[in-house]
Amino acid sequence: MTWLAPEVEIPEEGLPISAAAAACGLSIDALRYYEREGLTLAPADRAPSGRRRYFERDLSWLASLVMLRRTGMPIRDIRAFVQICREKGSELERLAVLETHRDRVLAQLRETQGHLTAMERKIRFYRESIAKT
């Protein structure tokens, strides 16, 4: 499964870093940071010129990292998840990490829903108050 927009076409020679970053919703600096921090499954392939090039597997992985970050997973947890993903036969451990994070996201959603409900009450109060004047 890929998290990339369907219009992303990857040429046979791969995408340069700027296009790969844009396809995943990252800045070039953020993509380089992910690489420096060892969050990619493997180092980016290099063209004969020495420039990085990215393929479907790279972009799919990066897009997954972006999704985890945007759902609030800390870098330290992502780093641990990456380590687990590098181990063959670690599907149970991967599942456990994702389920634990899902539980955190669900708790945050419940908290946010409570805040939204309170805001809606306040908005209703002020609209009614304004309508009476």
Side-chain angles (χ1 to χ4, degrees), residues 44-62:
D45 191 47
R46 299 281 179 156
S49 65
R51 294 179 184 246
R52 293 174 176 92
R53 58 185 180 179
Y54 299 85
F55 297 92
E56 174 65 30
R57 65 179 159 69
D58 305 309
L59 299 183
S60 182
W61 180 257
L62 289 167

